[in-house]
């Protein structure tokens, strides 16, 4: 089956006789508002989930005991230095991402106007980093709290 070249045209993009795709740099893709809304939503969901995971990890790690220096279950998991370092570094990254998200969303307040190109790049970066952080926090929760505790607390 062969598509006619005229079927590949729309109001913004064109295809030349040689099959090259052309688009005016000044005009945005019609899919840009949809992609932007999805990235804003995914970022907000991922950041909210990261907050919940941090809360759950700290709660479980503070309430679970490990063997202390005298052979008794008398030290909370959160008292261990390597646990504190992991949680605090993820917490700092989360606060940086939340701050960046609030700064970036200010550029997208008016849906009828296009934001500058730098805002779209920053939004893509915040979105991908938030989803990556959510994944790393899930792994950290499983390592620190165990599978049953992570499922029970996080729901």
């Amino acid at each position: 089956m062969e598509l006619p070249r005229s079927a590949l045209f729309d109001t913004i993009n064109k295809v030349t006789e040689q099959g090259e795709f052309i688009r005016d740099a000044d005009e945005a893709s019609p899919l840009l508002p949809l992609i932007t809304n999805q990235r804003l939503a995914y970022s907000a969901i991922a950041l909210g989930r990261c907050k919940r995971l941090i809360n759950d990890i700290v709660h479980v790690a503070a309430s679970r005991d490990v063997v202390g220096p005298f052979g008794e279950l008398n030290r909370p998991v959160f008292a261990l230095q390597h646990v504190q370092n992991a949680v605090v570094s993820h917490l700092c990254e989360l606060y940086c991402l939340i701050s960046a998200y609030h700064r970036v969303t200010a550029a997208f307040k008016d849906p009828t106007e296009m934001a500058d190109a730098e805002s779209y790049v920053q939004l893509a970066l915040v979105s991908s980093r938030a989803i990556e952080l959510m994944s790393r926090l899930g792994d950290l929760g499983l390592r620190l709290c165990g599978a049953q505790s992570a499922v029970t607390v996080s729901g």
Side-chain angles (χ1 to χ4, degrees):
M1 181 174 136
E2 188 173 321
L3 290 175
R5 195 167 302 280
S6 60
L8 301 175
F9 291 4
D10 63 17
T11 58
I12 295 176
N13 304 314
K14 298 193 181 339
V15 178
T16 64
E17 290 293 326
Q18 293 79 23
E20 295 176 358
F21 185 71
I22 299 175
R23 187 183 73 151
D24 293 334
D26 296 335
E27 298 179 27
S29 168
L31 296 177
L32 191 60
L34 177 63
I35 293 169
T36 302
N37 288 340
Q38 284 179 338
R39 283 188 176 152
L40 286 168
Y42 290 152
S43 299
I45 291 168
L47 290 172
R49 188 66 185 146
C50 286
K51 285 184 194 178
R52 175 68 191 264
L53 284 168
I54 283 276
N55 183 42
D56 293 347
I57 288 169
V58 169
H59 173 73
V60 171
S63 63
R64 273 183 93 181
D65 289 336
V66 293
V67 176
F70 301 110
E72 299 174 2
L73 287 173
N74 59 357
R75 297 188 71 178
V77 173
F78 199 63
L80 302 175
Q81 187 68 40
H82 71 278
V83 173
Q84 291 176 1
N85 288 344
V87 172
V88 169
S89 68
H90 285 85
L91 182 64
C92 291
E93 185 177 355
L94 174 61
Y95 279 123
C96 290
L97 284 173
I98 290 171
S99 170
Y101 178 76
H102 287 300
R103 189 176 64 245
V104 166
T105 54
F108 301 103
K109 292 287 185 198
D110 187 6
T112 60
E113 293 183 14
M114 283 209 34
D116 59 332
E118 184 67 25
S119 297
Y120 289 102
V121 172
Q122 289 176 354
L123 177 60
L125 179 66
V126 167
S127 179
S128 64
R129 294 289 295 177
I131 292 169
E132 177 194 358
L133 178 63
M134 184 176 62
S135 174
R136 284 188 284 134
L137 280 170
D139 291 342
L140 179 66
L142 286 174
R143 280 187 289 134
L144 293 180
C145 307
Q148 188 60 38
S149 294
V151 170
T152 304
V153 175
S154 293

